[in-house]
Amino acid sequence: MARSHAAVRRPPAPSWPQPRTPAGGGSAPRSGHIPGRPAAVELAAPTDAEVAVEAARRRGRGAQSNASGRYEPLARVAFDDGWQSFDELPPFKTTVTFDSTRKIITRNDSPDVSFDRSINPYRGCEHGCIYCFARPTHAYLGLSPGLDFETKLFAKPDAAKLLERELSAPGYVPRTIAIGTNTDPYQPIEREHQIMRRILEVLDRCGHPVGIVTKSALVLRDLDILARMAQRDLVKVALSVTTLDTRLARVMEPRAATPPRRLQALRQLTAAGVPSSVMVAPVIPALNDAEIERILDAAAAVGVREAGYVLLRLPLEVRDLFREWLMANFPDRYRHVFKLIRESRGGKDYDSSWNTRMTGTGPVAWMIGRRFELACEKLGFNKTRMRLTTDHFCPPWRAAEQLSLF
């Protein structure tokens, strides 16, 4: 079947009667619609009959389906031919492929982020967070942003060696490197591969500043390096705490650390003198937005004094994956959640405009932002922000490169 231009093929329409669509496409306008405002859009409840993977095969995973990537010429759909063929399909298991990349520092010029370079030790993330905005990147590899993103992972075992080479390049100017902004550097496979630890060893040895974002308590494994770097103002660590509800966390972030373990990690980091902050991210209207104040209170209780937040982002395939997940786990909130999302994104499911994509626009987004600001003000958060320094940077020794004889 030919692949359409859409990011992910929409699920088939539900079997119950739907509002009639006028000729020319689009939804029939409601009576009383005010000109100049976005017309109300009927949110047809999605059904995953053609794209969903049965629960036994995706146990412990976040996505409900594994639709083909948007660049694939064909879309393949599994269906039962009456011979119990689904019974022969194995469950999704985590596989790791070595990535032979030749560069490790990624540059960006986005005007609304605070860093211009980052490192991603892994591609894909076993945590399986359904809302992860990095999911669409798996389509570049010819894989699905759904279950493939959580199970078909890529590791960069030469990351530390490549980092040394790039830091020693003539003319390199040090600035804070961000790690964990795309996929989590402390996801479960890091226990075996230890790529992140080797990267930290290089940064520590060279006196290079780094900012880390994670939702894993595995960060405590490297507390010896982090504490040493903190003494020279070379490191900051942010842990994302999306909810304090362990049930919600389990279905939304199935293989990430539980909320209590993340808070305990923040406690130990701050006790060791490592500058730490909490990220209330993402804030999902009508799902976890009521917890903003409680999360900040819990973070203050463990010694944190900096915080940030990000509104839910649904680029490309993430939108349909999040819809499927929401309908499977919280069908009673489906319409309300998407209504509020659209009200905070100018009537769309997602708006990628600079400077508003992280916080949204409109009354709903304003209310979330104001609540966050008031809670931070009450707790004394963000009064001062610790700045990392490049004063200690010493490029690694660059080994002599022998020219080839041929």
Side-chain angles (χ1 to χ4, degrees):
M1 180 179 66
R3 184 71 180 164
S4 73
H5 67 276
V8 171
R9 195 183 67 182
R10 288 182 175 276
S15 57
W16 56 81
Q18 294 295 301
R20 294 176 60 87
T21 301
S27 299
R30 292 183 179 179
S31 59
H33 170 62
I34 301 175
R37 293 187 181 179
V41 178
E42 184 66 24
L43 290 173
T47 174
D48 55 5
E50 288 191 13
V51 296
V53 175
E54 61 182 24
R57 294 188 60 219
R58 54 177 170 80
R59 183 186 177 107
R61 307 294 179 177
Q64 309 291 306
S65 63
N66 204 39
S68 302
R70 60 189 178 279
Y71 298 117
E72 302 309 297
L74 300 175
R76 294 177 173 83
V77 177
F79 68 95
D80 191 350
D81 58 4
W83 294 93
Q84 290 78 45
S85 55
F86 281 168
D87 296 342
E88 303 173 2
L89 297 176
F92 281 81
K93 294 184 179 180
T94 301
T95 62
V96 180
T97 302
F98 288 155
D99 187 335
S100 56
T101 183
R102 290 181 290 181
K103 292 191 67 176
I104 196 62
I105 298 179
T106 302
R107 307 281 179 155
N108 82 82
D109 56 1
S110 301
D112 55 354
V113 296
S114 59
F115 57 89
D116 68 350
R117 63 199 69 183
S118 61
I119 292 176
N120 296 304
Y122 302 99
R123 293 186 181 187
C125 187
E126 197 176 3
H127 282 162
C129 305
I130 189 58
Y131 52 73
C132 183
F133 65 86
R135 284 181 176 273
T137 61
H138 243 45
Y140 297 124
L141 305 174
L143 299 172
S144 172
L147 289 166
D148 281 350
F149 178 80
E150 308 171 36
T151 58
K152 295 183 179 179
L153 311 180
F154 295 80
K156 303 175 183 178
D158 296 329
K161 185 187 303 181
L162 294 170
L163 179 59
E164 280 191 319
R165 187 178 69 187
E166 292 176 38
L167 295 184
S168 65
Y172 176 81
V173 178
R175 291 189 64 181
T176 300
I177 291 177
I179 305 181
T181 57
N182 196 39
T183 57
D184 202 311
Y186 286 105
Q187 58 180 288
I189 59 174
E190 166 65 14
R191 295 183 184 275
E192 175 185 353
H193 295 280
Q194 300 192 26
I195 297 173
M196 180 61 180
R197 182 171 179 87
R198 294 197 295 273
I199 289 174
L200 286 178
E201 289 171 346
V202 172
L203 296 174
D204 179 32
R205 190 163 58 249
C206 298
H208 196 293
V210 61
I212 302 170
V213 180
T214 183
K215 52 172 60 75
S216 174
L218 183 58
V219 66
L220 295 176
R221 180 203 62 189
D222 298 334
L223 192 56
D224 56 333
I225 302 177
L226 297 174
R228 194 162 58 241
M229 296 181 73
Q231 293 175 356
R232 296 178 288 163
D233 295 336
L234 292 175
V235 67
K236 293 178 69 173
V237 178
L239 261 81
S240 173
V241 181
T242 315
T243 178
L244 299 179
D245 182 343
T246 54
R247 177 187 174 274
L248 175 58
R250 182 53 58 213
V251 295
M252 187 165 59
E253 309 159 336
R255 300 202 176 193
T258 62
R261 291 191 65 195
R262 296 182 218 179
L263 291 171
Q264 182 59 31
L266 283 170
R267 182 190 297 276
Q268 292 182 239
L269 287 167
T270 55
V274 179
S276 305
S277 62
V278 63
M279 289 295 298
V280 187
V283 176
I284 306 174
L287 196 62
N288 72 340
D289 63 315
E291 298 187 68
I292 292 174
E293 292 82 0
R294 292 200 298 271
I295 292 172
L296 293 176
D297 284 340
V302 298
V304 174
R305 288 297 175 265
E306 289 188 23
Y309 83 98
V310 177
L311 190 66
L312 175 69
R313 299 165 58 188
L314 297 175
L316 301 173
E317 292 95 341
V318 183
R319 178 195 62 181
D320 291 327
L321 291 168
F322 182 75
R323 276 181 171 173
E324 294 169 3
W325 174 87
L326 194 60
M327 199 60 191
N329 292 280
F330 300 96
D332 56 325
R333 303 191 202 182
Y334 167 74
R335 294 177 184 275
H336 187 46
V337 168
F338 264 90
K339 177 178 180 294
L340 296 179
I341 289 173
R342 290 180 172 180
E343 289 180 1
S344 63
R345 296 293 184 185
K348 299 181 286 187
D349 292 332
Y350 179 57
D351 181 7
S352 60
S353 301
W354 300 125
N355 301 315
T356 60
R357 58 179 179 156
M358 305 293 186
T359 56
T361 58
V364 173
W366 179 89
M367 178 187 66
I368 289 173
R370 187 61 180 145
R371 283 176 50 204
F372 176 83
E373 292 169 357
L374 289 173
C376 286
E377 184 177 348
K378 174 185 174 183
L379 296 168
F381 279 14
N382 301 333
K383 295 296 184 183
T384 59
R385 287 189 177 273
M386 183 263 187
R387 297 181 65 86
L388 302 181
T389 181
T390 58
D391 294 344
H392 305 290
F393 179 65
C394 180
W397 176 72
R398 188 178 181 88
E401 297 182 1
Q402 183 176 348
L403 297 178
S404 173
L405 297 177
F406 303 97

